[in-house]
């Protein structure tokens, strides 16, 4: 009896493992990753240091913060930004991260890597998932360097260090967890604008700044609608991770991040299958 030869297709886990290996190799061997790690540390340190500089008349500048940890997270959940100090915290990583993701993925298309990849590797969902995970890892690393730079800057500015430690830790982890959702969004945007590198960077910057939720919250506030719900859909619960965070906050951030990841990976995969990916 003759036996039919059968070649088993690699499992999803094996395919994803292979793609992650390639993407992590590329990430660790490009200066871009380390440049953005440095930017994420330098910017918060500079923001804190600016408060130590005298004003034009020689008078002391008005401090942006009263506490070291306000450069890491806002004192409370905010849906309408009242001052630059409300936003100048670890949420800035999502701006830096968006630009980094755009350049990282944009290089795939400009170098012809995507054409070569999809010629031999037909699973578009593997590409979306791998890019989302690797870019999420990069943004988590940026959160760590941001924390280091922001903390040192706040200490040099002689800010108060009082804090509820569990809330601070949860706020940091909440923002790091949100990196997966943000990375998935940025990966999707860069698939949408794959032929327009400048627009992909601009769109990532636009969403990362939170302009969308600020404008929408201002509108619905006049309509007496709960602006807190906008945070789940427009800004991914990132502002929930604040200095009054608890385990419920972390659970919400995790759920929203996973929800964003599922939605944007499905949308990106569908787009890659239904259009010319080159």
């Amino acid at each position: 009896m003759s036996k039919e030869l059968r070649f088993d297709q690699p499992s999803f886990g094996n395919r994803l493992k292979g793609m992650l290996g390639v993407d992590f190799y590329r990430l660790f061997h490009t200066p871009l990753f380390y440049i953005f790690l440095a930017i994420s540390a330098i910017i918060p340190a500079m923001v804190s240091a600016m408060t130590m500089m005298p004003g034009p008349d020689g008078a002391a500048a008005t401090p942006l913060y009263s506490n070291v940890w306000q450069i890491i997270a806002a004192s409370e959940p905010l849906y309408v930004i009242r001052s630059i100090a409300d936003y100048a915290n670890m949420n800035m990583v999502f701006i830096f991260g968006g630009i980094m993701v755009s350049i990282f993925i944009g290089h795939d298309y400009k170098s012809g890597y995507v054409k070569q990849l999809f010629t031999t590797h037909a699973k578009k969902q593997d590409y979306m998932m791998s890019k989302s995970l690797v870019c999420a890892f990069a943004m988590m690393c940026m959160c760590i360097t941001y924390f280091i730079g922001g903390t040192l800057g706040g200490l040099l500015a002689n800010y108060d260090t009082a804090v509820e430690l569990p809330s601070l830790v949860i706020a940091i982890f909440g923002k790091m967890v949100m990196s997966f959702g943000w990375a998935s969004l940025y990966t999707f945007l860069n698939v949408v604008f794959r032929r327009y590198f400048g627009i992909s960077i601009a769109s990532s910057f636009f969403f990362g700044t939170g302009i969308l939720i600020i404008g929408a919250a201002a509108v619905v506030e006049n309509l007496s609608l709960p602006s807190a719900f906008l945070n789940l859909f427009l800004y991914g619960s990132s502002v929930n991770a604040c200095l009054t965070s608890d385990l419920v906050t972390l659970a919400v951030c995790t759920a929203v991040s996973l929800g964003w990841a599922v939605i944007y990976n499905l949308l990106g995969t569908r787009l890659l299958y239904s259009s010319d990916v080159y």
Side-chain angles (χ1 to χ4, degrees):
M1 180 182 297
S2 62
K3 294 183 178 180
E4 181 181 354
L5 295 176
R6 189 182 71 178
F7 298 94
D8 293 329
Q9 294 292 327
S11 66
F12 169 74
N14 288 334
R15 296 196 314 267
L16 182 60
K17 182 179 178 180
M19 290 203 68
L20 284 172
V22 172
D23 282 334
F24 272 116
Y25 179 87
R26 293 178 60 235
L27 179 70
F28 291 137
H29 286 80
T30 177
L32 174 71
F33 174 53
Y34 303 100
I35 290 172
F36 276 92
L37 287 181
I39 290 173
S40 298
I42 293 170
I43 294 298
M46 290 180 58
V47 170
S48 293
M50 285 172 59
T51 65
M52 302 172 63
M53 299 173 61
D57 57 354
T62 301
L64 285 176
Y65 311 101
S66 60
N67 188 284
V68 170
W69 313 113
Q70 289 172 335
I71 190 70
I72 307 301
S75 299
E76 60 185 7
L78 296 169
Y79 308 102
V80 179
I81 305 302
R82 297 171 301 206
S83 70
I84 187 61
D86 291 336
Y87 188 77
N89 55 52
M90 196 176 283
N91 287 348
M92 289 193 289
V93 166
F94 303 131
I95 302 176
F96 311 146
I99 298 172
M100 193 215 73
V101 172
S102 293
I103 298 174
F104 186 64
I105 296 179
H107 184 262
D108 286 356
Y109 288 91
K110 293 178 68 175
S111 66
Y113 170 73
V114 166
K115 183 174 182 179
Q116 178 185 10
L117 175 67
F118 289 137
T119 300
T120 58
H121 190 102
K123 302 296 183 181
K124 310 300 190 298
Q125 64 266 28
D126 299 352
Y127 177 84
M128 288 293 302
M129 182 61 69
S130 178
K131 284 294 183 290
S132 296
L133 288 171
V134 170
C135 291
F137 170 82
M139 292 171 69
M140 288 179 184
C141 292
M142 292 166 66
C143 286
I144 294 173
T145 58
Y146 183 100
F147 172 77
I148 294 172
T151 301
L152 290 177
L155 292 175
L156 289 174
N158 293 317
Y159 289 141
D160 180 42
T161 58
V163 70
E164 291 291 335
L165 186 59
S167 294
L168 174 63
V169 172
I170 290 173
I172 295 171
F173 274 100
K175 293 183 186 296
M176 292 178 71
V177 164
M178 279 304 309
S179 294
F180 186 35
W182 280 102
S184 300
L185 167 61
Y186 292 138
T187 301
F188 169 68
L189 289 175
N190 281 274
V191 167
V192 172
F193 299 114
R194 58 193 177 276
R195 295 187 180 91
Y196 309 99
F197 181 62
I199 295 178
S200 69
I201 291 181
S203 65
S204 296
F205 178 83
F206 173 79
F207 280 93
T209 57
I211 293 175
L212 189 59
I213 187 175
I214 294 171
V219 172
V220 300
E221 188 176 34
N222 296 329
L223 300 177
S224 299
L225 293 176
S227 59
F229 283 106
L230 284 175
N231 183 50
L232 299 179
F233 299 104
L234 299 181
Y235 204 58
S237 195
S238 303
V239 296
N240 273 345
C242 61
L243 297 180
T244 58
S245 297
D246 54 24
L247 291 177
V248 174
T249 305
L250 182 59
V252 170
C253 289
T254 302
V256 172
S257 185
L258 290 175
W260 273 31
V262 170
I263 291 171
Y264 291 119
N265 272 275
L266 287 176
L267 289 175
T269 299
R270 183 178 181 85
L271 180 60
L272 287 174
Y273 272 115
S274 61
S275 60
D276 180 8
V277 298
Y278 312 131

